[in-house]
Amino acid sequence: MKKLKKLAAFLLCAAMILAMGITTFAAGENASLTVKVNADNTLKGQELSVYKLFDVTVTSGTYSYAVNTGYQSAIATALEKEPTTAETDELVQALAAMATGSPELQKFADDFTEAALKDSLNATAKSGKLGDVTEYTFNNLDYGYYLVYQTGTKELQSSLVLLSNATGTTVELKGEAPSITKTADADTVEIGQIVKYTVTGTIPDTTGYADYQYIIHDTLTDGLDFVNDENGTQVSAPDLKIYVQIGTAQAVEQTAELSGNGNRTMELDLSTWVRTNQTSKGSTFTVTYYAKVNSDAVVETNNSASLEYGNAQGETTTTTPVKADTPTYPLDIRKTIKGEATLLEGAKFRLYRNEMDATTPANKDNAIKVTGSAGEYTVAIDQTTGNMDMETAAAEVGTGYNLHLNGLAAGDYWLVETDAPAGYNKLSAPIKVTITKAGEQTWTVAKNGTDEQDKVIDIENSKGTVLPETGGAGTIIFTVAGAVLVIGVAVSFAVSRKNAGAAGRRHGRPRRRK
C-alpha cells in the first residue's frame, strides 16, 4: 500500500513538472493594442473601433480559436460562407488559407467592417473622438484575433491583428483621413486678373454613416472677389457657381453659398453629392471656381480652404486650412536730382509689358493703365481705358520712394520717362525692371539686370545747361571788336576830312564851288 502511495505521489510530481514545461495563454488574459496612423496622417477627429472576431488560446506555440458568436454571421458572410451553419473551424481554415497582406485578406476585413456598420454591431472597444494625435492604445483587451477600424477614411480599409502576448501589439493603420489640396493657375497675379482655383479631394466611403457630412469652406483675402467664371461674370450673391468633376468625367455645375465681409466666405456642401456617388468612392474629384484680383490686392493675397467632414452635424472634424498664395507686387521709384539727395517732383513715367512697345513711338499708348495721383498709383482693373501716366511726388509716399505702383505680377517690365521736370533732362532709354517671386511673401526687384537690395528703383535727372557751339566764345569777341574798329575808322576818316578843310581856308585856298 505504501508503495502504491509513493508511486502515485511520484506520478503527480512528474505531471506537475511536465506541466511546468507547457506554456499556456488562455482566452480572457489581458494585453494592450497600440494603433498608429501611417505617415503624414493624424487621428484628429477620428474614432477607432476594435472588434474581437475570435478568442485565442496559445499552448506551447499552438493556437486555438473560438468564434465570437456576436460577429459569427458577419464573419461568415464576409468569407462567403453560409451564416447559419459555418462553425469556428470552417471560418478559421478559410482565413488561414489567405496570405498575410494579400488582397483577399484585405477584402475580408473590409467586407466584415461594411457588414458590421450596416448591421450596427457593437464594437468590442472604442477610442472615442480623438485629438491631434498619431497613435492610441487600447488597454486590458482579451487575447484574440481583432479587426481595427478607423472612421471617416477616404476608403474603407480595416486592419487585422493577432493579440496573443502580454507585452502588447502595435498595428499601423492603412486608411487615410479625408483631406483636400488647393492650387491656383497663377503663381503671381496682376490687379484685374481672373484666377482659377482647383480643390482636389477623394470621395470618402460613407458606409455605416446615417448622415455623412462633407463641406468645403473657402475664405478670400480682401484682394480677391469671387466671380462665376473665367470671364469674370459678377456673382449674384449669395450664390456662386462652382464646377465638380470626378476624374475625367464631365464637370457638373453646382452652387455654393457666399457670406461674410464682401461675400468672401464660401461654403460648398457636398454631403448629398458624396453619398449619391458611392459607386465612385476612393476616386479623385476636383472642384473649380474663380476669383478676380481687386485693387486691394497685396503681396499677402491668398485664399485658404478647409474640409469639414463627419457622421452628422455637430459631430464633424475640420481639417487644417490649405492655402493658395497669389501675390501681387509693387513697383517703387525714387526720383532725385543727379548728385543730390533731393527728391524731384513732376517726372512722368509709363510702364510697358514689352520692350517693343516701350521703344516704338507708334506703340506709346500700349502702356499699363493705372489709377491714382500724387505719386501713388494702382494698376487699373479695367485695362481697356484709363490713364497711363504716373508722376513723381515732391515728398516720399513710402519709405525711400516718391512714386509707387501697386498690383503687378512677377515678370519683366520696361519703364519709360515720358516727361522730365522743367530744367531737367529726361532719360533717353527705357529701364528694364524685373520682379521675381522668391517665396510666399518675398520677392526681388532688378534694374537693368542688377538687383535693388531695397526693392526701390533709383533714377536721377541731370539739370539742363547751355551746350557749347562749334564757334566758341571768341567769335563774339572778334565780332564786337570788328564792329568797334569799323566805327573807329569811319569816325577817324570824318575827323580827318574836317581837319583838312579847316587847314585849306587858313592858307587862302579858294573854296570849290559846289
Side-chain angles (χ1 to χ4, degrees):
M1 188 67 180
K2 290 182 178 180
K3 290 183 178 180
L4 289 174
K5 288 182 177 179
K6 288 182 179 179
L7 179 60
F10 174 77
L11 291 173
L12 179 61
C13 183
M16 292 177 64
I17 293 173
L18 289 172
M20 292 175 64
I22 300 175
T23 303
T24 301
F25 296 105
E29 294 196 57
N30 299 129
S32 63
L33 174 61
T34 299
V35 183
K36 292 184 177 182
V37 293
N38 49 18
D40 302 321
N41 277 279
T42 176
L43 289 169
K44 181 180 179 181
Q46 303 294 302
E47 183 176 67
L48 300 174
S49 299
V50 293
Y51 298 82
K52 186 178 67 171
L53 307 185
F54 296 90
D55 289 315
V56 175
T57 301
V58 184
T59 304
S60 297
T62 300
Y63 294 77
S64 60
Y65 300 89
V67 69
N68 186 329
T69 56
Y71 304 145
Q72 186 169 359
S73 177
I75 294 171
T77 300
L79 289 172
E80 299 181 352
K81 303 295 182 181
E82 176 56 46
T84 58
T85 60
E87 298 293 336
T88 295
D89 187 61
E90 183 180 2
L91 300 178
V92 169
Q93 292 303 318
L95 285 169
M98 301 179 187
T100 297
S102 64
E104 56 266 30
L105 185 62
Q106 185 63 59
K107 182 179 183 302
F108 160 74
D110 296 341
D111 288 348
F112 171 83
T113 304
E114 184 171 347
L117 293 172
K118 284 183 177 179
D119 296 340
S120 300
L121 299 180
N122 291 326
T124 305
K126 289 188 174 185
S127 66
K129 194 171 184 178
L130 298 172
D132 193 6
V133 296
T134 57
E135 65 178 60
Y136 178 83
T137 299
F138 291 93
N139 292 306
N140 301 317
L141 292 177
D142 294 339
Y143 289 176
Y145 187 60
Y146 284 85
L147 179 142
V148 182
Y149 168 61
Q150 176 189 359
T151 61
T153 53
K154 292 180 181 179
E155 53 185 328
L156 198 63
Q157 197 171 42
S158 299
S159 299
L160 294 166
V161 59
L162 179 64
L163 189 59
S164 60
N165 63 77
T167 58
T169 302
T170 298
V171 60
E172 292 192 4
L173 297 173
K174 302 173 184 178
E176 295 182 20
S179 61
I180 56 174
T181 60
K182 182 169 187 178
T183 58
D185 66 348
D187 287 332
T188 66
V189 295
E190 182 178 300
I191 288 175
Q193 183 174 339
I194 306 298
V195 184
K196 178 183 178 181
Y197 291 102
T198 301
V199 170
T200 303
T202 303
I203 298 177
D205 192 315
T206 63
T207 302
Y209 286 93
D211 186 24
Y212 191 83
Q213 300 290 297
Y214 195 96
I215 305 168
I216 295 173
H217 300 273
D218 194 298
T219 302
L220 302 180
T221 51
D222 290 345
L224 292 163
D225 295 308
F226 284 113
V227 292
N228 273 331
D229 51 44
E230 60 188 0
N231 299 317
T233 304
Q234 189 172 355
V235 174
S236 179
D239 296 332
L240 170 70
K241 291 181 181 179
I242 57 93
Y243 306 87
V244 183
Q245 183 176 16
I246 301 175
T248 58
Q250 181 69 33
V252 177
E253 182 181 312
Q254 296 211 18
T255 301
E257 183 175 341
L258 300 182
S259 61
N261 178 36
N263 285 312
R264 293 191 177 94
T265 298
M266 180 195 80
E267 181 178 290
L268 174 61
D269 191 340
L270 293 177
S271 303
T272 302
W273 181 86
V274 162
R275 292 195 297 268
T276 57
N277 280 279
Q278 283 300 287
T279 55
S280 299
K281 59 188 178 185
S283 299
T284 298
F285 73 94
T286 57
V287 177
T288 57
Y289 46 95
Y290 300 86
K292 186 173 184 177
V293 186
N294 64 40
S295 57
D296 291 326
V298 291
V299 175
E300 293 84 1
T301 296
N302 60 61
N303 66 349
S304 58
S306 59
L307 172 64
E308 178 187 355
Y309 66 93
N311 182 39
Q313 294 182 5
E315 301 178 12
T316 58
T317 298
T318 300
T319 63
T320 302
V322 290
K323 286 197 309 180
D325 291 290
T326 50
T328 189
Y329 303 111
L331 173 59
D332 298 318
I333 298 167
R334 181 177 180 84
K335 185 69 167 176
T336 58
I337 301 172
K338 187 171 185 178
E340 302 179 22
T342 306
L343 294 175
L344 191 55
E345 178 186 13
K348 293 182 179 179
F349 292 91
R350 289 186 178 185
L351 188 66
Y352 294 85
R353 291 188 175 88
N354 60 74
E355 189 174 12
M356 178 172 288
D357 285 343
T359 56
T360 304
N363 297 347
K364 65 179 182 179
D365 290 337
N366 289 345
I368 294 173
K369 308 297 190 301
V370 300
T371 60
S373 62
E376 297 189 79
Y377 297 87
T378 300
V379 173
I381 293 178
D382 183 2
Q383 284 292 303
T384 60
T385 61
N387 180 40
M388 294 169 283
D389 295 313
M390 302 177 290
E391 188 172 342
T392 57
E396 288 187 349
V397 295
T399 304
Y401 52 87
N402 59 337
L403 178 59
H404 171 81
L405 173 64
N406 186 55
L408 296 171
D412 294 330
Y413 299 90
W414 281 261
L415 183 66
V416 175
E417 185 173 19
T418 58
D419 195 8
Y424 293 86
N425 302 314
K426 71 178 183 180
L427 301 180
S428 59
I431 293 174
K432 183 180 180 181
V433 176
T434 302
I435 301 173
T436 304
K437 181 178 181 179
E440 286 186 5
Q441 296 180 16
T442 57
W443 72 102
T444 61
V445 178
K447 172 186 175 183
N448 291 328
T450 301
D451 282 349
E452 296 281 9
Q453 297 302 314
D454 59 358
K455 300 183 178 67
V456 177
I457 302 295
D458 292 294
I459 302 175
E460 296 179 324
N461 272 138
S462 301
K463 293 180 180 180
T465 58
V466 177
L467 298 177
E469 298 178 3
T470 54
T475 303
I476 298 175
I477 296 174
F478 292 143
T479 301
V480 173
V484 171
L485 181 59
V486 169
I487 293 171
V489 170
V491 171
S492 177
F493 178 74
V495 171
S496 297
R497 286 193 62 186
K498 184 177 180 181
N499 290 339
R505 288 193 297 271
R506 286 196 302 270
H507 291 89
R509 293 179 184 174
R511 296 180 63 183
R512 183 180 297 175
R513 293 182 180 180
K514 295 181 179 179

